[in-house]
Amino acid sequence: MSVLGVQTHAWPVRLAHWSMALAILIMVGSGWRIYNAEPILPFRFPLAVTLGGDVEAALARHGDPGVATAIAWHFAGMWLLIAAFLLFVIYGVVSGHFRRDFFPVGPRAFLHDFTAALHFRLEHRLGEYNAVQKVFYWGVLAAIIAIIVSGLAIWKPVQTYPLEVLFGGFQGARIVHFLAMIVIVGFLVIHLALVALVPSTLVAMITGRSGSPAPRNGGRP
């Protein structure tokens, strides 16, 4: 796997990235505790991976299994996610980051790179996004929009009634919210796996720069 090149990330991108990462962890953990109170599917998430405090203490204090605390965490994560997402989108448009790094991308390029990835033959060059990465990034950005909008419909179903209609009702908004969560968690798993394979990408997201320019003569003396 080739990792030649230089990868740089401006401070707004890094700030938005780590803020969204923290917000998503908070929202997923607290959201799972909220979900457990009224499941959509016939299963519940283990309490150990949820956010909402000790169940016994919460029952003694609030009379609920930590749902009130989880909701408070969920709202905090929501506002952080919205702020970070807006920063990322505004900077991506104004700076040309989206135009430069996430375009162009098409079905043929995606199929080619996805097939190469399945055979572990997909090369990675620092500072360059392959078609699979581009599609995945656009997909997770769409999922974040879906989870924010559906979350607003769940939070304020009367004030945001048109959103509730858009999702086919309150339960429809809950289902979309749940599915968007699955997409985001799936993206995080794949993202962390790729970072483990190419750890130099993590350096760039922390310090702002990683790697060195590829030799112009291909490395020949």
Side-chain angles (χ1 to χ4, degrees):
M1 178 180 293
S2 174
V3 294
L4 294 175
V6 176
Q7 185 158 21
T8 59
H9 293 298
W11 71 262
V13 173
R14 286 179 282 141
L15 177 61
H17 174 274
W18 292 114
S19 296
M20 282 193 287
L22 176 60
I24 287 171
L25 288 177
I26 291 173
M27 294 195 71
V28 168
S30 59
W32 287 353
R33 179 69 68 90
I34 298 168
Y35 168 92
N36 283 351
E38 191 177 346
I40 297 175
L41 300 175
F43 72 89
R44 286 178 168 83
F45 295 98
L47 288 175
V49 297
T50 65
L51 182 63
D54 181 78
V55 174
E56 296 301 325
L59 284 171
R61 187 179 304 112
H62 305 294
D64 74 82
V67 175
T69 304
I71 290 174
W73 276 110
H74 209 65
F75 284 154
M78 176 191 73
W79 292 119
L80 178 60
L81 178 64
I82 291 174
F85 182 75
L86 288 176
L87 172 62
F88 184 75
V89 170
I90 292 172
Y91 178 82
V93 172
V94 173
S95 69
H97 172 50
F98 287 170
R99 182 187 68 254
R100 182 176 60 253
D101 295 325
F102 292 169
F103 286 110
V105 60
R108 181 175 297 179
F110 174 78
L111 182 60
H112 175 272
D113 287 357
F114 186 72
T115 302
L118 290 178
H119 291 85
F120 300 99
R121 295 177 180 174
L122 181 61
E123 291 190 351
H124 177 78
R125 293 180 179 273
L126 288 176
E128 298 180 11
Y129 293 83
N130 57 58
V132 174
Q133 288 175 302
K134 293 176 181 179
V135 170
F136 276 20
Y137 277 115
W138 283 121
V140 76
L141 289 176
I144 291 175
I145 293 174
I147 209 166
I148 290 174
V149 175
S150 60
L152 291 174
I154 295 169
W155 177 33
K156 297 288 187 180
V158 176
Q159 292 86 340
T160 61
Y161 181 72
L163 293 180
E164 188 177 343
V165 173
L166 175 66
F167 293 115
F170 181 82
Q171 190 65 12
R174 286 193 69 206
I175 293 173
V176 170
H177 201 67
F178 184 82
L179 293 177
M181 178 275 295
I182 292 176
V183 171
I184 292 172
V185 171
F187 172 83
L188 288 178
V189 171
I190 296 173
H191 186 60
L192 292 175
L194 293 177
V195 169
L197 291 174
V198 189
S200 53
T201 57
L202 178 61
V203 176
M205 190 54 71
I206 295 174
T207 66
R209 182 183 179 90
S210 178
S212 57
R216 293 183 179 179
N217 59 3
R220 296 187 294 275

